[in-house]
């Protein structure tokens, strides 16, 4: 018995083949009863059966094992649920016969309110509050709904039956084959599923409307949502139908199930979940309201739908063997969702926006406390923490880098053969590399192992000397410290023109490249850009002369948006790592004053926020000039776009307008603040006023909060009123994300208190954590005072990590590191350990950066000159 405790994985002597599952949820008492009969193959000598179960009460008298070819029934002599290991150990008096048999178990459980397992979500119908029952089983929570082999490699078929109130809708992975109404209850039976992993099983019971369409080959697609919101599902429905058809061609395998349902759930921890045939979403990721959703909401819906539907092949049909290979699921679905979105909405230029994913991956992976893409998992509690920017964003970025290196056609062909080979089964990272290596003839395994088996990435330094480019790679750390990692780096570069592109693999620490052919007399001062279009997962450091040439090329609009983005982002990272003075970064930022590309400007905005915060800690007396300089940078695009949309303008301009105006409001730009206030007043009188459409609402809300104080709180109270009156989740989140931008500490305290009140769904509280720099200390005090409540509400899921990183990371002093360490000395736990270390590392990086800015010579004069330069 003791042998089974404390193990990361279940023993393999019994293998499930098919589950016949019956459940009866009680939505008013918030509990459920169930029974399961599992066809099990006993493959090795044992008198034990060990499977997963958690938070269930098992009825020992209901447990039995009946071998297929014998009339004998085996009853266990002992039934033990080991809660700390989430296993159910059945100990039989004698060895069980080898071969097939049926394991029967009866059980009961609670419909919890923690958004995992089989849980309850609440909604209002005709003014009355009601419960729905929903599942969220990934990564390891099917065991909270029924006893099962809850690991991805134990694939089996599922036959599901639900007993539910007869007026409700009950959905599962497969189509309904029969509904038997019996008074107030009905029994709903579903078709048997193909073989699949337990984390993809799903069922939802509640009151819903739907919209419906079909793909050209007859797959029925529906979007379910709360009663009265059906029209908000139309956009996602259209995207889903087109995406399914696109993936059928791309993967060269048809969608494997007879139907696809997508459903919006009011209380939902993640963004969405790719359950086979029944995909669950947060409302904000599925519903789109023509009148009150912003362009950014529309794009979010499209990319999330494309991501989840990619999983129907990559994850559901072919499943990772163990959570170490989670990145295969998530990195791939992230990458391919851009491919699909680009095909459906080419005018969104979504591949340029992919750079946001790349940057998120690079930022996390620049920490010493990062982790490799392939990470050992020794306990189910550790899995949640790797659903992070490494698995999703670095994963997607290295796939993009590899596709760019191998070529799109060869990559697609090899992928299709990988899916055919591993369909209805499990795969490891090596299996994908083997398929790509076979299809391309390139040493894919050798190349990619350097990117997935070690953490981090290189910075490639480049110098121009004697008509040669000298390349040198070293591991990049945001802290500025030195690492000893080495990679096989696909290098690409252009000299003076995109017609002249060169590429090679940098396999050693350093290498020289002769560029005589480029360096003709007329071309001596030509720009040289490495990592063309940012397809490589690395940073570039140029010598001073090359950097100056690139600055000139940016000012004269010679470079593509992706390359302009890359130069800016790498310079920001090098400045944080204290390898580039702040003066140099600010001078480069000045070259972007006529920038109009959405993705480049969006990143420029987020860099101004971060630089502004660090500079305020280091040299508060320079802030007026720094803010004036930032306002000057955004003036050009703000004047071009204005507050009002023009007829037929692009999706990207609609998104940019809101971000630019928000930035100007945060910087205290007087004209923006007063215009926002005027438009907000009109909006309060008429929620449909053309003066404040969804795309500029966030900007107006943020502007209003800049002037709110404890004695002048009308704007804050008005926003709370709008929050309470809207039933659109996107609008609520727009407001929640704007409130904490207020510089007044008393108001920040109220906002944080409000975030944990019943008025805010627990999944949304973290939007209120993005506090102004003035609010950091208040947020930390609030966090400590409310730690027990936060732990009780979020302690069992991944959302608790968001609290830790949002509250701790913005600090910039070594004293704060000690204070936070002391607080967590006796409060840490496995599910936050990694996040806490990463957050403290960020504080140390900030503190060192502050110190280096304080020591920077002539910074004041340089900023004065930049702030008042006449162009």
């Amino acid at each position: 018995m003791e042998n089974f405790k404390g193990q990361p994985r279940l023993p393999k002597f019994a293998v499930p083949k098919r589950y016949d599952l019956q459940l009866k949820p009680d939505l008013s008492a918030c509990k459920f009863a169930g029974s399961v009969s599992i066809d099990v193959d006993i493959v090795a000598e044992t008198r034990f059966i060990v499977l997963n179960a958690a938070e269930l009460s098992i009825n020992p008298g209901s447990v039995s094992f009946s071998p297929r070819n014998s009339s004998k029934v085996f009853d266990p002599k002992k039934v033990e649920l080991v809660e700390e290991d989430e296993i159910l150990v059945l100990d039989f008096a004698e060895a069980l016969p080898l071969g097939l048999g049926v394991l029967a178990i009866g059980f009961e459980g609670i419909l919890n309110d923690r958004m995992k397992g089989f849980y309850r979500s609440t909604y209002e119908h005709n003014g009355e509050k009601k419960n729905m029952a929903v599942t969220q089983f990934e990564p390891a929570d099917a065991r909270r709904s029924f006893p099962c082999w809850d690991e991805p490699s134990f694939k089996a078929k599922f036959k599901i039956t639900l007993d539910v109130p007869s007026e409700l809708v009950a959905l599962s992975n497969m189509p309904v084959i029969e509904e038997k109404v019996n008074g107030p209850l009905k029994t709903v039976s579903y078709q048997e599923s193909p073989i699949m992993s337990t984390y993809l099983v799903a069922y939802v019971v509640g009151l819903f409307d739907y919209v419906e369409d079909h793909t050209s080959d007859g797959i029925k697609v529906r979007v379910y949502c709360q009663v009265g919101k059906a029209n908000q599902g139309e956009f996602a429905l259209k995207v889903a139908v087109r995406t399914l058809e696109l993936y059928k061609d791309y993967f060269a395998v048809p969608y494997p199930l007879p139907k696809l349902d997508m459903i919006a759930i009011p209380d939902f921890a993640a963004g969405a979940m790719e359950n086979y045939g029944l995909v669950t979403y947060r409302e904000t990721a599925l519903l789109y309201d023509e009148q009150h959703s912003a362009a950014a909401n529309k794009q979010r819906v499209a990319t999330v739908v494309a991501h989840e539907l990619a999983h129907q092949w990559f994850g559901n049909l072919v499943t990772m063997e163990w959570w170490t290979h989670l990145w295969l699921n998530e990195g791939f679905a992230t990458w391919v969702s851009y491919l699909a979105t680009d095909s459906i909405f080419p005018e969104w230029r979504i591949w340029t926006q992919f750079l946001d994913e790349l940057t998120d991956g690079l930022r996390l992976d620049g920490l010493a406390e990062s982790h490799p893409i392939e990470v050992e998992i020794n306990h189910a509690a550790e899995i949640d923490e790797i659903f992070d920017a490494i698995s999703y964003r670095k994963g997607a970025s290295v796939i993009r880098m590899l596709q760019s290196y191998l070529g799109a056609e060869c990559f697609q062909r090899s992928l299709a053969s990988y899916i055919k080979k591993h369909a209805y089964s499990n795969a490891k990272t090596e299996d994908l590399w083997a398929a790509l290596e076979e299809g391309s003839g390139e040493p894919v395994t050798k190349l990619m192992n350097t990117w997935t088996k070690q953490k981090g990435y290189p910075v490639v330094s480049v110098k121009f000397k004697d008509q040669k480019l000298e390349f040198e790679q070293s591991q990049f750390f945001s802290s500025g410290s030195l690492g000893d990692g080495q990679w096989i780096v696909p290098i690409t570069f252009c000299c003076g023109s995109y017609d002249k592109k060169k590429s090679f693999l940098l396999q050693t620490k350093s290498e020289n490249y002769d560029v005589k052919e480029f360096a003709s007399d007329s071309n001596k001062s030509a720009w040289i850009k490495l990592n063309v279009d940012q397809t490589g997962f690395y940073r570039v450091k140029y010598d001073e002369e090359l950097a100056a040439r690139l600055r000139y090329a940016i000012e004269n609009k010679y470079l593509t948006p992706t390359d302009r983005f890359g130069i800016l982002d790498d310079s920001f990272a090098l400045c944080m790592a204290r390898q580039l003075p702040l003066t140099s970064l600010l001078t480069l930022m000045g070259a972007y004053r006529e920038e109009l590309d959405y993705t480049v400007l969006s990143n420029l905005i987020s860099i101004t926020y971060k630089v502004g915060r660090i500079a305020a800690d280091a040299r508060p007396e320079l802030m007026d000039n720094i803010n004036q300089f930032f306002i000057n940078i955004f003036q050009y695009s703000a004047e071009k776009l204005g507050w009002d949309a023009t007829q037929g303008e692009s999706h990207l301009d609609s998104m940019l307008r809101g971000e630019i105006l928000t930035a100007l409001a945060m910087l205290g730009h007087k004209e923006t603040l007063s215009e926002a206030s005027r438009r907000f007043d009109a909006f309060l009188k008429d929620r449909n006023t053309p003066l404040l459409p969804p795309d500029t609402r966030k900007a107006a809300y943020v502007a209003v909060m800049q002037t709110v104080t404890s004695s002048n709180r009308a704007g804050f109270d008005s926003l709370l009123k709008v929050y309470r009156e809207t039933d659109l989740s996107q609008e609520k989140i727009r407001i929640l994300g704007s409130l904490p931008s207020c510089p007044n500490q008393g108001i920040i305290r109220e906002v944080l208190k409000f975030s944990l009140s019943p008025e805010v769904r627990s999944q949304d509280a973290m939007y209120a954590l993005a506090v102004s720099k003035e609010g950091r200390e208040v947020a930390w005090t609030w966090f400590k005072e409310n730690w027990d409540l936060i732990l009780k509400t979020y302690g069992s899921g991944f959302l608790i990590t968001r609290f830790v990183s949002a509250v701790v990371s913005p600090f910039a002093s070594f004293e704060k590191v000690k204070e936070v360490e002391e607080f967590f000395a006796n409060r840490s736990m496995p599910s936050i350990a990694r996040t806490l270390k990463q957050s403290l590392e960020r504080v140390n990086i900030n503190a060192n950066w502050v110190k280096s800015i304080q020591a920077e010579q002539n910074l004041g004069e340089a900023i004065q000159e930049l702030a008042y330069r006449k162009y």
Side-chain angles (χ1 to χ4, degrees):
M1 183 73 136
E2 289 307 308
N3 293 349
F4 306 129
K5 295 180 180 175
Q7 298 298 318
R9 297 182 67 167
L10 293 170
K12 299 239 179 351
F13 40 61
V15 180
K17 294 295 180 189
R18 178 182 183 272
Y19 294 80
D20 193 334
L21 173 64
Q22 286 199 293
L23 286 166
K24 184 177 181 180
D26 180 335
L27 273 66
S28 48
C30 292
K31 57 186 189 183
F32 60 90
S35 62
V36 65
S37 299
I38 312 171
D39 293 358
V40 178
D41 193 1
I42 307 293
V43 293
E45 179 80 14
T46 180
R47 56 166 236 265
F48 294 99
I49 291 182
V50 183
L51 64 166
N52 294 110
E55 297 169 17
L56 296 173
S57 52
I58 307 293
N59 170 6
S62 72
V63 181
S64 66
F65 181 76
S66 313
R68 175 69 52 88
N69 43 18
S70 147
S71 56
K72 185 173 178 182
V73 174
F74 291 73
D75 296 317
K77 61 175 188 183
K78 191 173 180 199
V79 173
E80 188 182 350
L81 185 61
V82 185
E83 273 298 352
E84 59 272 28
D85 291 313
E86 302 184 341
I87 55 172
L88 177 63
V89 181
L90 310 177
D91 181 357
F92 295 86
E94 56 187 302
L96 300 170
L98 295 181
L100 287 170
V102 176
L103 174 65
I105 305 173
F107 54 91
E108 289 181 344
I110 302 292
L111 286 175
N112 70 69
D113 56 3
R114 301 201 314 274
M115 296 183 284
K116 60 193 280 187
F118 197 16
Y119 72 92
R120 68 184 162 95
S121 173
T122 59
Y123 62 104
E124 273 195 13
H125 183 243
N126 295 337
E128 190 187 340
K129 200 171 177 187
K130 291 182 176 289
N131 291 331
M132 63 173 77
V134 188
T135 56
Q136 169 59 40
F137 290 163
E138 188 181 28
D141 293 312
R143 62 192 68 178
R144 282 167 222 287
S145 182
F146 61 99
C148 56
W149 276 258
D150 201 9
E151 294 179 7
S153 63
F154 287 112
K155 284 188 159 185
K157 294 179 175 178
F158 289 84
K159 176 85 185 73
I160 293 172
T161 307
L162 300 177
D163 287 317
V164 298
S166 43
E167 74 281 5
L168 299 182
V169 174
L171 304 170
S172 184
N173 306 84
M174 299 298 288
V176 174
I177 43 175
E178 188 184 31
E179 273 198 22
K180 274 194 202 144
V181 178
N182 185 3
L185 287 181
K186 63 179 174 183
T187 301
V188 186
S189 317
Y190 303 89
Q191 272 180 36
E192 185 173 296
S193 76
I195 76 162
M196 60 194 260
S197 303
T198 47
Y199 78 87
L200 295 166
V201 173
Y203 20 91
V204 178
V205 181
L207 214 49
F208 302 102
D209 275 348
Y210 67 85
V211 286
E212 175 181 308
D213 199 357
H214 290 80
T215 61
S216 55
D217 52 352
I219 306 290
K220 184 192 285 179
V221 184
R222 285 181 174 178
V223 174
Y224 284 87
C225 45
Q226 284 185 55
V227 173
K229 291 189 177 182
N231 62 329
Q232 294 177 26
E234 292 283 2
F235 177 68
L237 180 66
K238 194 169 75 187
V239 172
V241 169
R242 291 187 64 182
T243 304
L244 283 180
E245 297 185 338
L246 206 120
Y247 288 156
K248 183 181 79 170
D249 294 341
Y250 190 80
F251 298 126
V253 172
Y255 173 69
L257 303 183
K259 62 95 176 171
L260 170 72
D261 293 331
M262 307 198 297
I263 183 163
I265 306 295
D267 300 278
F268 196 78
M273 174 62 212
E274 69 267 20
N275 314 302
Y276 223 177
L278 176 56
V279 184
T280 45
Y281 294 80
R282 269 189 190 214
E283 291 195 333
T284 49
L286 188 68
L287 304 184
Y288 176 75
D289 179 324
E290 286 291 343
Q291 185 139 29
H292 293 288
S293 296
N297 301 131
K298 187 176 203 176
Q299 186 174 301
R300 167 96 178 131
V301 170
T303 51
V304 177
V305 168
H307 178 105
E308 301 311 323
L309 300 198
H311 278 310
Q312 306 301 308
W313 285 261
F314 228 89
N316 302 9
L317 185 62
V318 180
T319 310
M320 68 217 153
E321 192 275 334
W322 178 240
W323 300 103
T324 294
H325 307 281
L326 169 73
W327 85 276
L328 267 185
N329 268 15
E330 298 304 349
F332 191 86
T334 301
W335 175 80
V336 87
S337 69
Y338 279 76
L339 195 84
T341 307
D342 185 54
S343 176
I344 301 171
F345 302 105
E347 69 281 7
W348 291 2
R349 300 215 293 274
I350 200 88
W351 279 116
T352 308
Q353 296 186 60
F354 181 85
L355 298 178
D356 294 333
E357 307 273 358
L358 176 78
T359 295
D360 278 353
L362 289 167
R363 290 216 174 121
L364 179 52
D365 210 24
L367 299 180
E369 292 293 347
S370 178
H371 63 84
I373 280 180
E374 294 183 65
V375 64
E376 283 306 312
I377 295 291
N378 297 310
H379 191 283
E382 297 169 11
I383 305 169
D384 267 338
E385 269 203 310
I386 61 164
F387 281 81
D388 64 5
I390 300 298
S391 297
Y392 284 72
R393 299 189 169 113
K394 181 180 182 180
S397 301
V398 299
I399 285 169
R400 175 171 170 258
M401 175 167 75
L402 182 60
Q403 190 235 20
S404 170
Y405 177 69
L406 297 178
E409 208 174 299
C410 157
F411 189 81
Q412 181 180 355
R413 229 183 17 252
S414 311
L415 214 53
S417 75
Y418 163 84
I419 286 180
K420 275 200 180 64
K421 182 173 181 182
H422 298 283
Y424 300 106
S425 135
N426 296 82
K428 297 181 175 178
T429 302
E430 302 82 86
D431 298 318
L432 179 60
W433 298 159
L436 289 162
E437 197 156 301
E438 194 181 321
S440 68
E442 293 281 345
V444 174
T445 307
K446 183 182 168 200
L447 166 69
M448 294 311 287
N449 280 350
T450 68
W451 296 96
T452 66
K453 291 194 182 298
Q454 65 178 340
K455 67 183 176 191
Y457 56 86
V459 54
V460 177
S461 300
V462 57
K463 293 188 177 75
F464 187 51
K465 208 168 156 197
D466 306 329
Q467 301 199 343
K468 281 193 178 67
L469 284 178
E470 296 178 359
F471 299 97
E472 186 178 352
Q473 65 159 306
S474 58
Q475 184 165 4
F476 179 81
F477 281 118
S478 298
S479 62
S481 55
L482 297 168
D484 48 13
Q486 198 169 310
W487 287 262
I488 299 176
V489 190
I491 299 279
T492 52
F493 64 94
C494 285
C495 292
S497 143
Y498 285 104
D499 303 334
K500 298 177 178 174
K501 183 174 163 183
K502 294 283 174 192
S503 54
F504 68 95
L505 283 181
L506 176 62
Q507 307 206 40
T508 49
K509 185 103 177 101
S510 60
E511 202 164 312
N512 291 350
Y513 199 100
D514 201 325
V515 286
K516 268 200 199 68
E517 57 180 299
F518 292 134
S520 63
D521 287 343
S522 62
N523 218 0
K524 277 256 163 58
S525 61
W527 54 269
I528 293 173
K529 168 68 176 67
L530 251 70
N531 194 10
V532 181
D533 283 333
Q534 301 304 109
T535 52
F537 193 78
Y538 57 91
R539 296 205 180 277
V540 180
K541 184 181 184 185
Y542 297 93
D543 68 18
E544 271 184 42
E545 188 197 337
L546 292 175
R549 291 187 199 178
L550 283 170
R551 205 162 55 238
Y552 178 79
I554 290 164
E555 285 174 329
N556 289 281
K557 307 187 174 53
Y558 296 154
L559 303 179
T560 59
T562 40
D563 285 333
R564 298 198 300 274
F565 180 106
I567 293 161
L568 174 67
D569 203 61
D570 288 350
S571 302
F572 170 67
L574 290 163
C575 183
M576 184 192 285
R578 312 191 310 285
Q579 293 180 32
L580 187 74
L582 180 58
T583 318
S584 303
L585 175 63
L586 294 172
T587 307
L588 173 68
M589 289 166 75
Y592 289 81
R593 66 190 175 278
E594 290 187 4
E595 183 59 65
L596 286 172
D597 180 83
Y598 167 73
T599 310
V600 180
L601 268 170
S602 184
N603 196 31
L604 188 64
I605 289 166
S606 75
I607 288 172
T608 60
Y609 291 156
K610 288 168 186 158
V611 170
R613 281 189 160 212
I614 290 294
D617 281 335
R619 303 284 298 271
E621 76 282 4
L622 301 180
M623 285 318 293
D624 286 350
N625 280 344
I626 287 179
N627 285 344
Q628 185 55 51
F629 169 57
F630 290 161
I631 286 169
N632 295 349
I633 293 178
F634 299 130
Q635 209 70 50
Y636 179 80
S637 49
E639 282 169 11
K640 266 208 161 358
L641 290 166
W643 276 86
D644 297 303
T646 54
Q647 190 62 44
E649 73 174 11
S650 74
H651 164 83
L652 292 167
D653 280 350
S654 305
M655 293 210 299
L656 180 57
R657 175 178 294 106
E659 289 198 30
I660 287 280
L661 292 171
T662 304
L664 287 171
M666 298 276 276
L667 291 165
H669 182 240
K670 288 191 177 53
E671 291 87 333
T672 303
L673 293 177
S674 66
E675 184 59 19
S677 171
R678 181 180 82 82
R679 289 170 182 261
F680 182 64
D681 288 344
F683 173 71
L684 291 178
K685 293 187 187 85
D686 170 16
R687 295 287 196 275
N688 297 316
T689 175
L691 285 174
L692 202 60
D695 290 314
T696 49
R697 271 182 216 164
K698 172 105 189 253
Y701 299 167
V702 165
V704 164
M705 289 307 294
Q706 297 315 294
T707 55
V708 166
T709 62
S710 301
S711 56
N712 170 26
R713 45 178 301 132
F716 178 40
D717 291 335
S718 298
L719 276 171
L720 288 177
K721 185 172 186 290
V722 178
Y723 179 91
R724 288 168 178 139
E725 286 172 5
T726 182
D727 72 338
L728 187 69
S729 305
Q730 289 163 351
E731 186 67 57
K732 285 189 186 292
I733 282 166
R734 250 197 296 277
I735 295 167
L736 273 178
S738 307
L739 299 177
S741 68
C742 183
N744 183 280
Q745 297 186 344
I747 296 291
I748 291 290
R749 196 171 286 110
E750 278 190 62
V751 169
L752 291 167
K753 187 180 173 191
F754 177 68
S755 74
L756 290 184
S757 74
E759 289 194 71
V760 177
R761 291 192 188 266
S762 54
Q763 72 203 17
D764 295 334
M766 42 285 315
Y767 289 103
L769 300 176
V771 298
S772 58
K773 58 180 179 292
E774 297 83 359
R776 289 178 295 187
E777 212 45 75
V778 173
W780 170 235
T781 306
W782 167 86
F783 177 83
K784 289 184 291 185
E785 288 167 358
N786 288 279
W787 172 247
D788 292 339
L789 173 60
I790 292 167
L791 192 60
K792 183 168 166 280
T793 312
Y794 299 95
S796 62
F798 67 90
L799 289 175
I800 193 160
T801 63
R802 306 286 198 272
F803 280 85
V804 175
S805 60
V807 173
V808 175
S809 303
F811 285 107
S813 75
F814 301 117
E815 297 73 38
K816 192 55 73 179
V817 172
K818 286 197 186 65
E819 198 186 315
V820 173
E821 282 174 339
E822 278 164 21
F823 177 76
F824 279 108
N826 55 1
R827 290 181 177 87
S828 199
M829 49 199 213
S831 61
I832 61 164
R834 194 188 294 273
T835 305
L836 182 60
K837 284 179 182 164
Q838 289 168 350
S839 302
L840 289 170
E841 185 181 351
R842 286 199 162 101
V843 181
N844 273 316
I845 289 166
N846 290 343
N848 280 316
W849 194 8
V850 164
K851 239 169 65 179
S852 89
I853 291 171
Q854 285 168 339
E856 202 171 309
Q857 300 292 310
N858 309 322
L859 183 61
E861 295 87 327
I863 288 170
Q864 169 89 15
E865 201 271 319
L866 285 167
Y868 294 99
R869 177 182 288 177
K870 292 282 175 274
Y871 291 105

